[in-house]
Structure formats: C-alpha cells, structure tokens
Amino acid sequence: MASIKSSWASHAHRVAPAFAVSQNGQMSARSEGFSNPSSDQSRLAEYRKVSAQSPQPDVIRYAAELLDSGALVAFPTETVYGLGARASNPKAISDVFLAKGRPLTDPLILHVARVEQVHELVSEFPEDAVELAARFWPGPLTLVLPRHPDVLDLITASQPTVAVRIPSHPVAQALLIETGFAVAAPSANRFGRISPSSAGHVVSELAGQYDLLLDGGPTTMGVESTVVDLSGAVPKLLRPGGVTLEELSAVLGQITYVDRVVAAETTNAPAPGLFLRHYSPRTPLLLVEGEESLTQHLIQALGDKGVTARSVEIPHDQIEAARNLYQLLRDADATDAKLLLVRPTQSAGIGRAVNDRLFRAAQGRSLKDCSEESVRRALAIALAESP
Ligand code: AMP
Ligand code: MG
C-alpha cells in the first residue's frame, strides 16, 4: 500500500481548488462548482482491463488502494460507469466535483457493499427501506434516507438526506468489498453530458481527470439507478431507472411520481439532480411527439431549408432501448446532423427511465406537428445551437 500511496502522491501535484473545503467537508461561500477545471495533468490516467464476471484480485486491490489514498477511480456498475472517490475524504470528493464540472447543489450517491454499511451513513432505516433493500439490493436502486451527521456536507449538498446504493456489478462489488468504505461515484462524465455506458465513453468525457479507469466492458442496464426518496411520509420516485415504478409499487403499495419534474441548477430543492439540461449531446435534440410519420416529414422540411436533421432510432424492446440509449445518442452526435429528432418510447417499465433521459437530453423541447411555425422553431434551434 505504501508504495502505491507514494507513487500516486508523487504524481499528484494538486491543482488549486476553485472552492474551499474545510476538514469536515463544509463548503465555503465562494463555492460555485461550475468552474471548468483545467485538465489536471498530474493524474495518473491509468487504464486497466478487468474481467466483468470475475475481476482479477490484484487489479481490484490496486484500485482500492488508490481510492484509499484519495485518488479518483472510474469503474463499471450495472447502470453506467462511475467516477469513484472515498466518501470520507473531503479533498477527493471536491476533486470529483471539479473533474465533472458538477454544481455543488447536485448531491452524490454513496456506494457500499453491504446493508450494514448503510446503517453507518443514515440516521434512520425505515421499514420501507428494509423491504426495498431485501428485494432490490444489490442492484440499480438508490435510496434517499435521513443522513448520519458524519456524512460530508459536500456529498449531500448540505441537505438533511443522503443517497445510498449497493451495486450488483461484480467489479463494483469486488471493489467495495475490498475497500470496506463508502465510495461516492457519480456518473463518469462531464456535468450535463451523456452518461458513459462503456470505458471508451469515460475516456472521451474525462481524459486525464481520473487516476485509474477499470474497463469491464459495456454496462448491462445502460441508464442510471432508480432514485427513491424514503425521507418523507410517502415514498417518492425522484428518478426512474432500472428498478421500475411497477416493481416499487408492488413492494411499497404507495409511491408518488411526477414525470418531467425540473429543478433549477442553482438551488438544491425540492429535488436535486432533476436538471433540465442533462444527458445532452452537443447537437441539439428535440422530441417528436406526434404520429409515426412526423419525423420523416420534419427531416424533409428541414432538408428543404438546407439543414440536415437525423432521427435517433430507439429500439422497440425497452431493455435494449435503455442499454443502447447513450451509445445511440453519442453515435448520432458524431454525424454531420445539425439537429437530432427522437420519438419517446412507451412510458411504462424501464421505458420511463428512457423517456426521462430523452426529455432532459432534449432540454424539455418537443415538436408536435410539421407546421411552418414548428419547422421555423426547429431551424432556429439548429442554427443557434449546433456546434
Ligand atoms: P448521478 O450523477 O447519476 O450519480 O446522480 C446522482 C443523483 O442522485 C442526483 O443528481 C440526485 O438526483 C440524486 N440524489 C443524490 N443525493 C440525493 C439526496 N440527498 N436527495 C435527493 N436526491 C439525491
Ligand atoms: Mg450523472
């Protein structure tokens, strides 16, 4: 361990943070978190392949030692790739916000290997949590619970709650068992951009911003975890994901969900992280909400005005849709199109998660017909926003 610590420390010339964090993780008043970090050239930026099914113990041990020493380690989970940092290390946690360009109002999810560890992070573990944990952990479910006072303010965005999850991916499991401590691991992408469902995505999003990237191949779910808030009187679905609303209802009986909820980026209430501009390609994306043929009509009408629009075809099968969503958005973003059009999928099961991400990727904007006004609006967006 000592050799790794010192090798990392010798590489790790620390950049001046854009905000101040005290030893107990309190943020200073000048914390904005939006500051664009100049790429931290001193990070190790190591890349290791790892078996998704039976991760090599030496690789896992190395990754755990790096996390222990305050380094940032990107690793696969069943949802998307996470950028991991030791939860009790304020410097490592602030580095995660810097690497992602993430606002400090957006709290991080803590990942652990076992339910007993969750008890050290929360001040209450209600009956609903016991039942959901028994049914869905390890797995793509995040529970928001009253926080333990020792959890850093940076992690919770100074809220009275903390979000926790036990991931099921063998690499994430092995890593969390090896560390024995909680690891904050937001998606390993720049804030607001498309989440990474493969190691290649992490490289293109965060090159040079991590110390180690564990490549365990493409993730299986493809979209982020379901977030359920159990801190209030009635359970609330904050973010749809791999565990569906139907599955949650079957366990809880009562659960509320309002889709297309939007939170301001500058506040952390009432539902942090539900930002409108999220999961976005650089090419502007619009939802098409009308009959099947509308997309082709719009592409034609826009083409007539000299603007290349392209349809992002979401697979009919909802599991496939979720798994391939971010790759499809990235592929479409890499074409010459000036505007991307996408039809939402069926709003049930994991389709809700797909539609939630599409809604935010489109910044809530949709076209419902092919009228002159709609075409004019689409043209204006394409011309103003296309890179
Ligand atoms: P990710 O960037 O995918 O790790 O997502 C983290 C998301 O979890 C945030 O953007 C929030 O939506 C949600 N979250 C984390 N902590 C809390 C919390 N204390 N209360 C409500 N939602 C939370
Ligand atoms: Mg994210």
Side-chain angles (χ1 to χ4, degrees), residues 100 102 186-187 189 195 224 239 278-279:
K100 285 180 56 78
R102 180 172 174 123
S187 50
N189 54 279
S195 299
E224 298 79 356
R239 176 173 76 181
H278 214 152
Y279 317 108

mmCIF file of all heavy atoms in Angstrom, residues 100 102 186-187 189 195 224 239 278-279, ligand 2:
data_model
loop_
_atom_site.group_PDB
_atom_site.id
_atom_site.type_symbol
_atom_site.label_atom_id
_atom_site.label_comp_id
_atom_site.label_asym_id
_atom_site.label_seq_id
_atom_site.Cartn_x
_atom_site.Cartn_y
_atom_site.Cartn_z
ATOM 1 N N LYS A 100 -15.818 16.684 -12.894
ATOM 2 C CA LYS A 100 -17.063 16.630 -13.655
ATOM 3 C C LYS A 100 -17.592 18.019 -14.032
ATOM 4 O O LYS A 100 -18.483 18.137 -14.866
ATOM 5 C CB LYS A 100 -18.155 15.908 -12.852
ATOM 6 C CG LYS A 100 -17.999 14.399 -12.796
ATOM 7 C CD LYS A 100 -19.118 13.771 -11.982
ATOM 8 C CE LYS A 100 -20.521 14.088 -12.454
ATOM 9 N NZ LYS A 100 -21.007 13.361 -13.612
ATOM 10 N N ARG A 102 -19.282 19.667 -11.930
ATOM 11 C CA ARG A 102 -20.628 19.462 -11.399
ATOM 12 C C ARG A 102 -20.957 20.518 -10.352
ATOM 13 O O ARG A 102 -20.124 20.821 -9.495
ATOM 14 C CB ARG A 102 -20.665 18.078 -10.763
ATOM 15 C CG ARG A 102 -21.979 17.652 -10.132
ATOM 16 C CD ARG A 102 -21.849 16.193 -9.740
ATOM 17 N NE ARG A 102 -22.954 15.654 -9.000
ATOM 18 C CZ ARG A 102 -23.666 14.589 -9.380
ATOM 19 N NH1 ARG A 102 -23.385 13.990 -10.516
ATOM 20 N NH2 ARG A 102 -24.624 14.120 -8.638
ATOM 21 N N PRO A 186 -20.501 9.343 -8.797
ATOM 22 C CA PRO A 186 -21.430 9.864 -9.806
ATOM 23 C C PRO A 186 -21.016 9.358 -11.182
ATOM 24 O O PRO A 186 -19.903 8.845 -11.342
ATOM 25 C CB PRO A 186 -21.246 11.376 -9.705
ATOM 26 C CG PRO A 186 -19.854 11.561 -9.227
ATOM 27 C CD PRO A 186 -19.564 10.379 -8.324
ATOM 28 N N SER A 187 -21.896 9.478 -12.149
ATOM 29 C CA SER A 187 -21.564 9.012 -13.491
ATOM 30 C C SER A 187 -20.290 9.709 -13.982
ATOM 31 O O SER A 187 -20.092 10.902 -13.743
ATOM 32 C CB SER A 187 -22.729 9.272 -14.447
ATOM 33 O OG SER A 187 -23.163 10.616 -14.346
ATOM 34 N N ASN A 189 -18.883 11.320 -16.325
ATOM 35 C CA ASN A 189 -18.998 12.200 -17.484
ATOM 36 C C ASN A 189 -18.951 13.640 -17.013
ATOM 37 O O ASN A 189 -19.161 13.919 -15.836
ATOM 38 C CB ASN A 189 -20.327 11.959 -18.218
ATOM 39 C CG ASN A 189 -21.518 12.090 -17.286
ATOM 40 O OD1 ASN A 189 -21.851 11.156 -16.557
ATOM 41 N ND2 ASN A 189 -22.139 13.244 -17.275
ATOM 42 N N SER A 195 -24.204 10.225 -20.171
ATOM 43 C CA SER A 195 -23.549 9.320 -19.222
ATOM 44 C C SER A 195 -22.774 8.219 -19.958
ATOM 45 O O SER A 195 -23.139 7.841 -21.071
ATOM 46 C CB SER A 195 -24.588 8.668 -18.302
ATOM 47 O OG SER A 195 -25.256 9.655 -17.564
ATOM 48 N N GLU A 224 -28.980 5.206 -15.527
ATOM 49 C CA GLU A 224 -28.665 5.372 -14.119
ATOM 50 C C GLU A 224 -29.693 4.676 -13.230
ATOM 51 O O GLU A 224 -30.795 4.342 -13.654
ATOM 52 C CB GLU A 224 -28.612 6.855 -13.751
ATOM 53 C CG GLU A 224 -27.542 7.652 -14.476
ATOM 54 C CD GLU A 224 -27.929 8.019 -15.886
ATOM 55 O OE1 GLU A 224 -29.008 7.593 -16.355
ATOM 56 O OE2 GLU A 224 -27.139 8.726 -16.535
ATOM 57 N N ARG A 239 -36.134 9.652 -9.566
ATOM 58 C CA ARG A 239 -35.550 9.418 -10.884
ATOM 59 C C ARG A 239 -35.869 8.003 -11.316
ATOM 60 O O ARG A 239 -35.489 7.052 -10.634
ATOM 61 C CB ARG A 239 -34.034 9.614 -10.832
ATOM 62 C CG ARG A 239 -33.332 9.306 -12.147
ATOM 63 C CD ARG A 239 -31.864 9.669 -12.127
ATOM 64 N NE ARG A 239 -31.069 8.705 -11.372
ATOM 65 C CZ ARG A 239 -29.752 8.798 -11.186
ATOM 66 N NH1 ARG A 239 -29.094 9.833 -11.669
ATOM 67 N NH2 ARG A 239 -29.097 7.882 -10.522
ATOM 68 N N HIS A 278 -29.462 17.940 -19.234
ATOM 69 C CA HIS A 278 -28.810 16.770 -18.658
ATOM 70 C C HIS A 278 -28.745 15.699 -19.731
ATOM 71 O O HIS A 278 -29.596 15.654 -20.587
ATOM 72 C CB HIS A 278 -29.672 16.265 -17.492
ATOM 73 C CG HIS A 278 -28.865 15.675 -16.369
ATOM 74 N ND1 HIS A 278 -29.297 15.680 -15.079
ATOM 75 C CD2 HIS A 278 -27.671 15.054 -16.346
ATOM 76 C CE1 HIS A 278 -28.404 15.095 -14.301
ATOM 77 N NE2 HIS A 278 -27.408 14.705 -15.045
ATOM 78 N N TYR A 279 -27.761 14.850 -19.660
ATOM 79 C CA TYR A 279 -27.656 13.718 -20.602
ATOM 80 C C TYR A 279 -27.605 14.196 -22.053
ATOM 81 O O TYR A 279 -28.065 13.511 -22.959
ATOM 82 C CB TYR A 279 -28.837 12.754 -20.433
ATOM 83 C CG TYR A 279 -29.210 12.443 -19.001
ATOM 84 C CD1 TYR A 279 -30.375 12.947 -18.429
ATOM 85 C CD2 TYR A 279 -28.388 11.643 -18.219
ATOM 86 C CE1 TYR A 279 -30.714 12.653 -17.104
ATOM 87 C CE2 TYR A 279 -28.719 11.352 -16.901
ATOM 88 C CZ TYR A 279 -29.873 11.858 -16.354
ATOM 89 O OH TYR A 279 -30.213 11.574 -15.052
HETATM 90 MG MG MG B 2 -24.881 11.772 -13.795
#
